[in-house]
């Protein structure tokens, strides 16, 4: 009997030592602890509640363990806590999309697997101590009832964490309180030095990337997708067809296009010889052209009478002006600056997506520009924050200041990738000085999926992004970078399952 009491007291002291140390460490580094919970792939949706709740429960449990009359209740709570901690680590290891950094404090040197084994060992000691306490206090003498009590306690602990995990996942995906779910396994696969920062994506196919140059409209840089070899190409045409300096190229093999929205001109040729053989001249200026099919483009244009921007369909074989869709862009302030954004086409599903620059909104349309649904990015800026003032010329205005939300975006194979400029909850500001954040959404329902970092080259932000299969490409300063994003597709598949 005396040996049992010594064993019981020793295990209780061990628990008190662990819980008091853990809770005090959490309170002393509370902001860091809460940030770690906020970046956890399991319980980030309840980070604020858990950040306060866990250390408080640990202290209460320690107090109960130190007193003989409340020791059994303390042991029940101790076993429950260790079950929850062990279940949390198991989910992190075998079910979470990403594995965060290991815990700090006394267990900082342990990896997640070692931490799981440690917790299971402490849990077994707690179960042993609870069974001794039940017998010594003559609460329950039946072995079967003791086993049942322990089993129920463990089951409650496991189900509690599983329920938190499932609820948190649903909260983050559909009612996000601006907490990002980071994927930590994005591997940089290559970097290509472009020499200048005036390049933009003109096209992509199964083997090559085609980059246009804002300062040299007739130049195309052809790069293999491994970023190991390149070729400079010059577009050829008649002198009479020469566009202005605002012209942009688009390469959609086997065709190549040169589009100048300021003079409403489109030239078309073949990638076999890069010779322009077809010319179309329209009557309205346009911008941001995205190819709808070989002879049709979705563009943005200005309705001058109403001083607003609109989207429309431009048909190269039609002499009629742009078929405007004025209701697609949602006005909030002026209908001109506030509707700025990125238009992108999913080459697989053929859906069109418009991501607003100054607010947390994107719209999904079918290939005929019919609205499918409207969704929100995970930040909280629902209304454009900008100051617009008039200039000396009549009916002309300028944008004085604004808060940019989404700088650029690209749709691919049912997913939308958006580069955000808004810092989320529990995110360290330091890393935002070194990298840009890409948020990923599912286009079938607008649900948020995850996020990942793209690190800047020479401190230059990522200005354009594009996807091909498992590869992510970004233009940052004078460089083209390539990342492996197979983890994103894996999570997208898991979420559907």
């Amino acid at each position: 009997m005396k040996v049992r009491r010594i064993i019981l007291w020793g295990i209780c002291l061990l628990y008190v030592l662990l819980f008091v140390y853990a809770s005090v460490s959490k309170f002393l580094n509370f902001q860091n602890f809460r940030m770690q919970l906020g970046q956890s792939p399991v319980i980030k949706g309840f980070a604020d509640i858990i950040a306060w709740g866990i250390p408080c429960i640990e202290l209460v449990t320690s107090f109960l363990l130190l007193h003989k009359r409340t020791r059994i209740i303390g042991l029940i709570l101790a076993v429950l806590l260790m079950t929850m901690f062990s279940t949390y680590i198991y989910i992190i290891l075998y079910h979470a999309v990403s594995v965060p950094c290991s815990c700090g404090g006394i267990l900082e040197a342990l990896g997640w697997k070692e931490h799981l084994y440690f917790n299971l060992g402490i849990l077994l000691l707690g179960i042993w101590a609870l069974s001794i306490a039940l017998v010594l206090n003559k609460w329950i003498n039946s072995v079967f009832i003791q086993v049942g009590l322990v089993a129920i306690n463990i089951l409650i602990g496991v189900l509690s964490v599983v329920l938190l995990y499932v609820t948190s996942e649903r909260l983050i995906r559909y009612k996000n309180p601006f907490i990002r779910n980071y994927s930590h396994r994005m591997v940089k696969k290559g970097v290509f030095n472009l020499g200048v920062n005036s390049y933009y994506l003109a096209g992509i196919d199964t083997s090559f990337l085609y980059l246009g140059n804002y300062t040299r409209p007739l130049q195309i840089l052809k790069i293999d997708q491994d970023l190991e070899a390149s070729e400079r190409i010059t577009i050829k045409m008649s002198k009479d067809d020469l566009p202005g300096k605002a012209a942009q190229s688009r390469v959609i093999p086997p065709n190549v296009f040169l589009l100048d929205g300021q003079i409403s001109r489109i030239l078309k040729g073949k990638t076999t010889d890069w010779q322009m053989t077809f010319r179309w001249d329209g009557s309205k200026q346009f911008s941001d052209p995205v190819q709808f099919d070989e002879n049709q483009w979705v563009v943005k244009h200005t309705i001058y009478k109403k001083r607003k921007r609109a989207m429309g369909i431009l048909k190269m074989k039609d002499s009629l002006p742009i078929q405007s869709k004025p209701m697609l862009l949602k006005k909030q302030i002026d209908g001109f600056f506030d509707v700025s954004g990125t238009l992108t086409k999913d080459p697989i599903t053929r859906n069109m997506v418009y991501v607003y620059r100054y607010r947390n909104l994107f719209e999904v349309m079918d290939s005929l520009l019919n609205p499918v649904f409207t969704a929100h990015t995970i930040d909280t800026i629902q209304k454009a924050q900008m100051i617009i003032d008039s200039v000396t010329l009549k009916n002309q205005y300028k944008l004085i200041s604004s808060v940019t939300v989404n700088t650029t975006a690209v749709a691919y194979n049912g997913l939308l990738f958006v580069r955000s400029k808004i810092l989320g909850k529990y995110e360290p500001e330091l890393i935002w000085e070194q990298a840009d954040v890409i948020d990923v959404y599912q286009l079938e329902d607008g649900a948020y999926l995850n996020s990942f970092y793209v690190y800047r080259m020479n401190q230059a932000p990522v200005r354009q992004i594009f996807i091909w299969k498992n590869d992510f490409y970004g233009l940052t300063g004078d460089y083209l970078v390539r990342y492996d994003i197979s983890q994103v597709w894996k999570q997208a598949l898991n979420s559907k399952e």
Side-chain angles (χ1 to χ4, degrees), residues 94 112-122:
Y94 300 105
W112 283 104
K113 285 188 177 181
E114 291 79 8
H115 198 170
L116 177 60
Y117 299 148
F118 177 86
N119 279 9
L120 291 175
I122 298 298

Side-chain angles (χ1 to χ4, degrees), residues 11 37 42 95 97 113 129 138 146 164 166 189 226 281 307 382-383 385 405 455 463:
I11 294 175
L37 290 178
V42 178
H95 295 281
V97 173
K113 285 188 177 181
K138 299 180 180 180
Q146 289 183 23
L164 280 173
V166 173
K189 297 174 68 175
D226 293 331
D281 288 297
R307 207 186 68 80
Q382 296 185 8
K383 185 173 182 179
Q385 299 179 16
V405 178
Y455 287 87
R463 64 181 182 275

